[in-house]
Amino acid sequence: MHSTYDIEVVEVGARDGLQNEPGAAGLSAETKVEFIRLLALAGLRRIEAGSFVKPQAVPSMANSAEVAALLQAVAREFPDAVFSYLVPNLKGLVRAREVNAKEVAIFLAVSESFSQANIHAGVDEAFIAIEPVVKEALSCGMRVRGYISNVFGYTDLPFSPQKVASRSKQLHDMGCFEVSLGDTTGVGTPERVDALVGAHVDVAFPLAQLAMHFHDTFGSAIANVERAYDLGIRTFDAATGGLGGCPYANSPKGNLAMEDLIRWCEARSVRCAVQDIALLESASAYIHKALGKKDKV
Ligand code: MG
């Protein structure tokens, strides 16, 4: 972490966010890269930039290689920025290598039904299949971030902090430098955050390598950030402009908005990479306009 910052913020809008935005498939690589450039200009240095999954499965990420190529100019402008790409398998990793990715992310689930629906493999099977991907990425000099989704439970799995912690440990043992715990449906509460972080402490998981990825579906994301911070978590994911929508039709909120996270930092005097929220709001306005959304800011 940058020595003068209290927390690290990881921007997920250009991947996790856009992937779940209707209309994002129509965005050109140039538009995405301009959005990412504005994010970097706002101070963000850890930015998810794309995904090397099957283009048929995720059309909005089909131009990720083109995005990566155009990002080289942005990388020259912001040499300390790290752009990360999601890879589901070895095939995806090969594509990430072709664009000289320095960081890749892998994703797994603790719920059997979610794992089957999302990646067509059971939980154990998926963890076994991902290990060679992690090893290969490490041997190519990349760092690997692991995501675990639905950490506060899913339809077939009640909230089981111990189960999540043992899976986090498995990813850490494989060589992931960081594990990000995703509250995919936004059902986390501060009490559940207590239990989840506690379970990680119990298995001696280093909290410096644990990130939290909250969704604001039910309005609890900032309360969860607050609790996680007080428990010693120092890395948080968020999406500028709150990109990412939500699986529930009755709620417009998905990923925690980076603006909300930065406002919380300002209120708590927590230092982070974004010093000027107006720059972040410019990035937000830019991408909302490109998506044809009414600007919320
Ligand atoms: Mg998310």
Coordinates of all heavy atoms in Angstrom, one line a residue, residues 132-176:
P132 N -4.1 -24.6 -11.5 CA -3.1 -24.4 -12.6 C -3.1 -23.0 -13.2 O -2.0 -22.6 -13.7 CB -3.4 -25.5 -13.6 CG -4.7 -26.2 -13.1 CD -5.0 -25.7 -11.8
V133 N -4.2 -22.4 -13.2 CA -4.3 -21.0 -13.8 C -3.5 -20.1 -12.9 O -2.7 -19.2 -13.4 CB -5.8 -20.6 -13.9 CG1 -5.9 -19.2 -14.5 CG2 -6.6 -21.6 -14.7
V134 N -3.7 -20.2 -11.6 CA -3.0 -19.4 -10.6 C -1.5 -19.6 -10.7 O -0.7 -18.7 -10.9 CB -3.5 -19.6 -9.2 CG1 -2.6 -18.8 -8.2 CG2 -4.9 -19.3 -9.0
K135 N -1.1 -20.9 -10.8 CA 0.3 -21.2 -10.8 C 1.0 -20.7 -12.1 O 2.1 -20.1 -12.1 CB 0.5 -22.8 -10.8 CG 0.0 -23.4 -9.5 CD 1.1 -23.4 -8.4 CE 0.6 -24.1 -7.1 NZ 0.2 -23.1 -6.1
E136 N 0.3 -20.8 -13.2 CA 0.8 -20.4 -14.5 C 0.9 -18.8 -14.5 O 1.9 -18.3 -14.9 CB -0.1 -20.8 -15.6 CG 0.3 -20.4 -17.0 CD 1.6 -21.0 -17.5 OE1 2.1 -22.0 -16.9 OE2 2.2 -20.5 -18.5
A137 N -0.1 -18.2 -14.0 CA 0.0 -16.7 -13.9 C 1.2 -16.3 -13.0 O 2.0 -15.4 -13.4 CB -1.3 -16.1 -13.3
L138 N 1.4 -16.9 -11.9 CA 2.5 -16.6 -11.0 C 3.8 -16.8 -11.7 O 4.8 -16.0 -11.6 CB 2.4 -17.4 -9.7 CG 1.2 -17.1 -8.8 CD1 1.2 -18.1 -7.6 CD2 1.3 -15.7 -8.3
S139 N 3.9 -17.9 -12.5 CA 5.2 -18.3 -13.1 C 5.5 -17.3 -14.3 O 6.6 -17.1 -14.7 CB 5.2 -19.7 -13.7 OG 4.4 -19.8 -14.8
C140 N 4.4 -16.6 -14.7 CA 4.6 -15.5 -15.8 C 4.9 -14.2 -15.1 O 5.0 -13.1 -15.8 CB 3.4 -15.4 -16.6 SG 2.9 -16.8 -17.5
G141 N 5.0 -14.1 -13.8 CA 5.3 -12.9 -13.1 C 4.1 -12.0 -12.8 O 4.2 -10.8 -12.4
M142 N 2.9 -12.5 -13.0 CA 1.7 -11.7 -12.7 C 1.3 -11.9 -11.3 O 1.6 -12.9 -10.7 CB 0.5 -12.2 -13.6 CG 0.6 -12.1 -15.0 SD -0.8 -12.8 -15.8 CE -0.3 -12.9 -17.5
R143 N 0.6 -11.0 -10.7 CA 0.0 -11.2 -9.4 C -1.5 -11.6 -9.6 O -2.1 -11.1 -10.6 CB 0.3 -10.1 -8.4 CG -0.4 -8.8 -8.8 CD -0.1 -7.8 -7.7 NE -0.9 -6.6 -7.8 CZ -1.0 -5.6 -6.9 NH1 -0.3 -5.7 -5.8 NH2 -1.8 -4.6 -7.1
V144 N -2.0 -12.4 -8.7 CA -3.3 -12.9 -8.9 C -4.2 -12.6 -7.7 O -3.9 -12.8 -6.5 CB -3.3 -14.5 -9.0 CG1 -4.7 -15.0 -9.3 CG2 -2.3 -14.9 -10.1
R145 N -5.3 -12.0 -8.0 CA -6.3 -11.6 -7.0 C -7.4 -12.7 -7.1 O -7.9 -13.1 -8.2 CB -6.9 -10.3 -7.3 CG -7.9 -9.8 -6.3 CD -8.4 -8.3 -6.7 NE -8.5 -7.6 -5.4 CZ -9.6 -6.9 -5.1 NH1 -10.6 -6.8 -6.0 NH2 -9.7 -6.3 -4.0
G146 N -7.9 -13.1 -6.0 CA -9.0 -14.1 -5.9 C -10.3 -13.5 -5.5 O -10.3 -12.7 -4.5
Y147 N -11.4 -13.7 -6.2 CA -12.7 -13.3 -5.7 C -13.5 -14.5 -5.2 O -13.5 -15.5 -5.9 CB -13.5 -12.7 -6.9 CG -13.2 -11.3 -7.3 CD1 -12.5 -11.0 -8.5 CD2 -13.6 -10.2 -6.5 CE1 -12.2 -9.7 -8.8 CE2 -13.3 -8.9 -6.9 CZ -12.6 -8.7 -8.0 OH -12.4 -7.4 -8.4
I148 N -14.2 -14.3 -4.2 CA -15.2 -15.2 -3.8 C -16.6 -14.5 -3.7 O -16.7 -13.4 -3.1 CB -14.9 -15.9 -2.4 CG1 -13.5 -16.6 -2.4 CG2 -16.0 -16.8 -2.0 CD1 -13.1 -17.2 -1.1
S149 N -17.6 -15.1 -4.4 CA -18.8 -14.4 -4.5 C -19.8 -14.9 -3.4 O -19.6 -16.0 -2.8 CB -19.4 -14.6 -5.9 OG -19.6 -16.0 -6.1
N150 N -20.9 -14.1 -3.2 CA -22.0 -14.5 -2.3 C -21.5 -14.9 -0.9 O -21.9 -16.0 -0.4 CB -22.8 -15.6 -2.9 CG -23.7 -15.0 -4.1 OD1 -24.4 -14.1 -3.9 ND2 -23.5 -15.6 -5.2
V151 N -20.6 -14.2 -0.3 CA -20.0 -14.6 0.9 C -20.9 -14.6 2.1 O -20.6 -15.2 3.2 CB -18.7 -13.8 1.3 CG1 -17.6 -14.1 0.3 CG2 -19.0 -12.3 1.4
F152 N -22.0 -13.9 2.0 CA -23.0 -13.9 3.1 C -24.2 -14.8 2.9 O -25.2 -14.7 3.4 CB -23.5 -12.5 3.3 CG -22.4 -11.5 3.8 CD1 -21.9 -10.5 2.9 CD2 -21.8 -11.7 5.0 CE1 -20.9 -9.7 3.4 CE2 -20.8 -10.8 5.5 CZ -20.4 -9.8 4.6
G153 N -23.9 -15.8 2.0 CA -24.9 -16.8 1.8 C -25.6 -16.7 0.4 O -25.4 -15.7 -0.3
Y154 N -26.2 -17.8 0.0 CA -26.9 -17.9 -1.3 C -28.1 -18.9 -1.1 O -28.2 -19.5 0.0 CB -26.0 -18.3 -2.4 CG -26.5 -18.1 -3.8 CD1 -26.8 -16.8 -4.2 CD2 -26.8 -19.1 -4.6 CE1 -27.2 -16.5 -5.4 CE2 -27.3 -18.8 -5.9 CZ -27.5 -17.5 -6.3 OH -28.0 -17.3 -7.6
T155 N -28.9 -19.0 -2.0 CA -30.2 -19.8 -1.9 C -29.9 -21.2 -1.2 O -30.7 -21.6 -0.3 CB -30.9 -20.0 -3.2 OG1 -29.9 -20.4 -4.2 CG2 -31.5 -18.6 -3.7
D156 N -28.9 -21.9 -1.7 CA -28.7 -23.2 -1.2 C -27.7 -23.3 0.0 O -27.4 -24.4 0.5 CB -28.1 -24.1 -2.3 CG -26.8 -23.6 -2.8 OD1 -26.5 -22.4 -2.7 OD2 -26.0 -24.4 -3.3
L157 N -27.2 -22.1 0.4 CA -26.2 -22.1 1.4 C -26.4 -21.0 2.4 O -26.3 -19.9 2.1 CB -24.8 -22.0 0.7 CG -23.6 -22.0 1.6 CD1 -23.3 -23.5 2.1 CD2 -22.4 -21.5 1.0
P158 N -26.8 -21.4 3.6 CA -26.9 -20.3 4.6 C -25.5 -19.7 4.9 O -24.5 -20.3 4.6 CB -27.4 -21.0 5.9 CG -27.2 -22.5 5.6 CD -27.0 -22.7 4.2
F159 N -25.5 -18.5 5.4 CA -24.2 -17.8 5.7 C -23.3 -18.7 6.6 O -23.7 -19.1 7.7 CB -24.5 -16.5 6.4 CG -23.3 -15.7 6.9 CD1 -22.2 -15.6 6.1 CD2 -23.3 -15.1 8.2 CE1 -21.1 -14.9 6.5 CE2 -22.2 -14.4 8.6 CZ -21.1 -14.3 7.8
S160 N -22.1 -19.0 6.1 CA -21.2 -19.9 6.8 C -19.8 -19.3 6.8 O -19.0 -19.5 5.9 CB -21.2 -21.3 6.2 OG -20.1 -22.0 6.8
P161 N -19.5 -18.4 7.7 CA -18.3 -17.7 7.7 C -17.1 -18.6 7.7 O -16.0 -18.3 7.0 CB -18.3 -16.8 9.0 CG -19.5 -17.2 9.8 CD -20.4 -18.0 8.9
Q162 N -17.2 -19.7 8.4 CA -16.0 -20.7 8.5 C -15.8 -21.3 7.1 O -14.6 -21.5 6.7 CB -16.3 -21.8 9.4 CG -16.3 -21.4 10.9 CD -17.5 -20.6 11.4 OE1 -18.6 -20.7 10.7 NE2 -17.4 -19.9 12.5
K163 N -16.8 -21.6 6.3 CA -16.7 -22.1 5.0 C -16.0 -21.1 4.1 O -15.1 -21.5 3.3 CB -18.1 -22.5 4.4 CG -18.1 -23.8 3.7 CD -19.5 -24.2 3.4 CE -19.7 -25.6 3.9 NZ -21.1 -26.1 3.7
V164 N -16.4 -19.9 4.2 CA -15.7 -18.8 3.4 C -14.3 -18.7 3.7 O -13.4 -18.7 2.9 CB -16.5 -17.5 3.5 CG1 -15.8 -16.4 2.7 CG2 -17.9 -17.6 3.1
A165 N -14.0 -18.7 5.1 CA -12.6 -18.5 5.5 C -11.7 -19.6 5.0 O -10.6 -19.4 4.6 CB -12.6 -18.3 7.0
S166 N -12.2 -20.8 5.0 CA -11.4 -21.9 4.6 C -11.1 -21.9 3.1 O -10.0 -22.2 2.6 CB -11.9 -23.3 5.0 OG -13.0 -23.7 4.2
R167 N -12.1 -21.4 2.4 CA -11.9 -21.2 0.9 C -10.9 -20.0 0.6 O -10.1 -20.1 -0.3 CB -13.2 -20.9 0.2 CG -14.1 -22.1 0.2 CD -13.5 -23.3 -0.6 NE -14.5 -24.4 -0.7 CZ -14.2 -25.5 -1.3 NH1 -13.1 -25.8 -1.9 NH2 -15.1 -26.5 -1.4
S168 N -11.0 -19.0 1.4 CA -10.1 -17.9 1.3 C -8.6 -18.3 1.5 O -7.7 -18.0 0.8 CB -10.3 -16.8 2.3 OG -11.6 -16.2 2.1
K169 N -8.5 -19.2 2.5 CA -7.2 -19.7 2.9 C -6.6 -20.5 1.7 O -5.4 -20.5 1.4 CB -7.3 -20.5 4.2 CG -5.9 -20.8 4.8 CD -6.0 -20.8 6.3 CE -4.6 -20.8 6.9 NZ -3.5 -21.3 6.2
Q170 N -7.6 -21.3 1.1 CA -7.2 -22.2 0.0 C -6.6 -21.3 -1.1 O -5.6 -21.6 -1.7 CB -8.4 -22.9 -0.5 CG -8.1 -24.2 -1.1 CD -9.4 -25.0 -1.5 OE1 -10.5 -24.7 -1.0 NE2 -9.3 -25.8 -2.5
L171 N -7.3 -20.2 -1.4 CA -6.8 -19.3 -2.5 C -5.5 -18.6 -2.1 O -4.6 -18.5 -3.0 CB -7.8 -18.2 -2.8 CG -9.1 -18.7 -3.5 CD1 -10.1 -17.5 -3.7 CD2 -8.8 -19.4 -4.8
H172 N -5.3 -18.3 -0.9 CA -4.1 -17.7 -0.4 C -3.0 -18.6 -0.5 O -1.9 -18.3 -1.0 CB -4.3 -17.2 1.1 CG -3.2 -16.4 1.6 ND1 -2.3 -16.9 2.5 CD2 -2.8 -15.1 1.3 CE1 -1.4 -15.9 2.8 NE2 -1.6 -14.9 2.0
D173 N -3.2 -19.9 -0.1 CA -2.2 -20.9 -0.2 C -1.8 -21.2 -1.6 O -0.7 -21.6 -1.9 CB -2.7 -22.2 0.5 CG -2.8 -22.1 2.0 OD1 -2.3 -21.1 2.6 OD2 -3.5 -22.9 2.6
M174 N -2.7 -21.1 -2.5 CA -2.4 -21.2 -4.0 C -1.4 -20.2 -4.5 O -0.8 -20.3 -5.5 CB -3.7 -21.1 -4.8 CG -4.4 -22.4 -5.0 SD -5.8 -21.9 -6.1 CE -7.0 -23.1 -5.5
G175 N -1.5 -19.0 -3.8 CA -0.6 -17.9 -4.2 C -1.3 -16.6 -4.5 O -0.6 -15.7 -5.0
C176 N -2.6 -16.5 -4.3 CA -3.3 -15.2 -4.5 C -2.7 -14.2 -3.5 O -2.7 -14.5 -2.3 CB -4.8 -15.4 -4.3 SG -5.6 -16.4 -5.6

